[in-house]
DNA sequence: GCCAACGTTGGC
DNA sequence: GCCAACGTTGGC
């Protein structure tokens, strides 16, 4: 009995960490997530081998730029314990860590950016449960259904 | 750089 | 437990 592969979309600001950075390092601990809903998706949903749409946010043309896979299931994000880190959380303890991360591995760059504009134009087909196009949603880690994954990648 | 949306914090 | 103040996200 094997669990079905799941799919996700993960946002990153390319100035901070881009798809090219991921291609260079191959595998990256996805540190710095400080939103409980996003954390819960990583902790409760993600399994090794799951597919990830790599999304560039806060840039001239926001959109999906690559594909990655989950390479390690959730474990404590070490940056929360580092007083020098931007992601330091003084309220978190090693005995009861508040924040987790997963490892994300490079798979491939898309041949072109699937821009947010184009994605919005297909919002009806993607459905109301697609968090990226839901109004006001700022989640940086969000689930993607198999149908949504297929539809989005068919736009490449 | 602006600002709408929305999550978090903390006083009460 | 309410909710105003504040901070952050992210499109534009």
């Amino acid at each position: 009995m094997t669990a079905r592969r799941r799919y996700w979309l993960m946002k990153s600001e390319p100035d901070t960490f881009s798809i090219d950075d991921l291609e260079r390092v191959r595998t990256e601990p996805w540190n710095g997530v400080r939103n409980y809903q996003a954390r819960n998706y990583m902790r409760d949903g993600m399994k090794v081998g799951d597919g990830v749409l790599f999304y560039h946010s806060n840039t001239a043309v926001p959109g999906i730029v690559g594909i990655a896979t989950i390479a390690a299931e959730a474990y404590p994000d070490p940056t929360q314990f580092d007083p020098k880190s931007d992601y330091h959380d003084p309220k978190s303890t090693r005995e009861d860590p508040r924040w987790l991360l997963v490892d994300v591995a490079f798979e491939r760059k898309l041949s072109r950016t699937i821009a947010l504009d184009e994605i919005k134009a297909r919002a009806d087909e993607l459905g109301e449960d697609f968090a990226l196009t839901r109004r006001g949603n700022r989640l940086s880690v969000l689930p993607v259904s198999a149908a949504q994954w297929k539809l989005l990648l068919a736009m490449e």
Side-chain angles (χ1 to χ4, degrees), chain A residues 6-24:
Chain A
R6 295 188 197 184
Y7 304 98
W8 310 92
L9 182 146
M10 298 175 89
K11 298 180 185 174
S12 185
E13 301 193 13
D15 287 350
T16 304
F17 190 80
S18 70
I19 189 70
D20 291 324
D21 293 324
L22 185 63
E23 182 174 29
R24 195 175 313 118

Side-chain angles (χ1 to χ4, degrees), chain A residues 6-156:
Chain A
R6 295 188 197 184
Y7 304 98
W8 310 92
L9 182 146
M10 298 175 89
K11 298 180 185 174
S12 185
E13 301 193 13
D15 287 350
T16 304
F17 190 80
S18 70
I19 189 70
D20 291 324
D21 293 324
L22 185 63
E23 182 174 29
R24 195 175 313 118
V25 300
R26 310 311 292 187
T27 301
E28 175 75 1
W30 205 260
N31 58 38
V33 171
R34 296 293 179 268
N35 171 283
Y36 288 106
Q37 202 177 344
R39 179 205 67 184
N40 293 348
Y41 283 135
M42 294 197 292
R43 183 189 63 193
D44 305 330
M46 289 186 178
K47 302 290 180 205
V48 171
D50 283 0
V52 175
L53 298 171
F54 195 106
Y55 179 94
H56 279 174
S57 65
N58 243 318
T59 188
V61 183
I64 298 164
V65 293
I67 298 177
T69 55
I70 300 300
E73 287 173 25
Y75 61 95
D77 179 345
T79 64
Q80 70 196 302
F81 307 122
D82 179 1
K84 293 194 291 289
S85 170
D86 287 345
Y87 303 128
H88 181 232
D89 183 348
K91 291 180 182 168
S92 186
T93 64
R94 288 181 189 276
E95 293 70 35
D96 186 21
R98 182 179 295 193
W99 304 111
L100 304 173
L101 56 71
V102 295
D103 287 353
V104 173
F106 179 81
E107 187 168 311
R108 69 177 178 93
K109 284 206 261 186
L110 298 193
S111 55
R112 66 182 201 89
T113 299
I114 301 172
L116 179 60
D117 280 351
E118 302 171 60
I119 296 169
K120 281 181 175 169
R122 309 288 291 275
D124 285 351
E125 295 161 80
L126 287 161
E128 288 183 3
D129 67 327
F130 188 51
L132 187 72
T133 45
R134 252 198 325 249
R135 188 170 150 279
N137 201 308
R138 300 170 306 158
L139 264 185
S140 64
V141 174
L142 51 102
V144 176
S145 73
Q148 289 157 355
W149 173 273
K150 195 175 166 189
L151 198 159
L152 289 163
L153 288 180
M155 294 166 67
E156 183 179 358

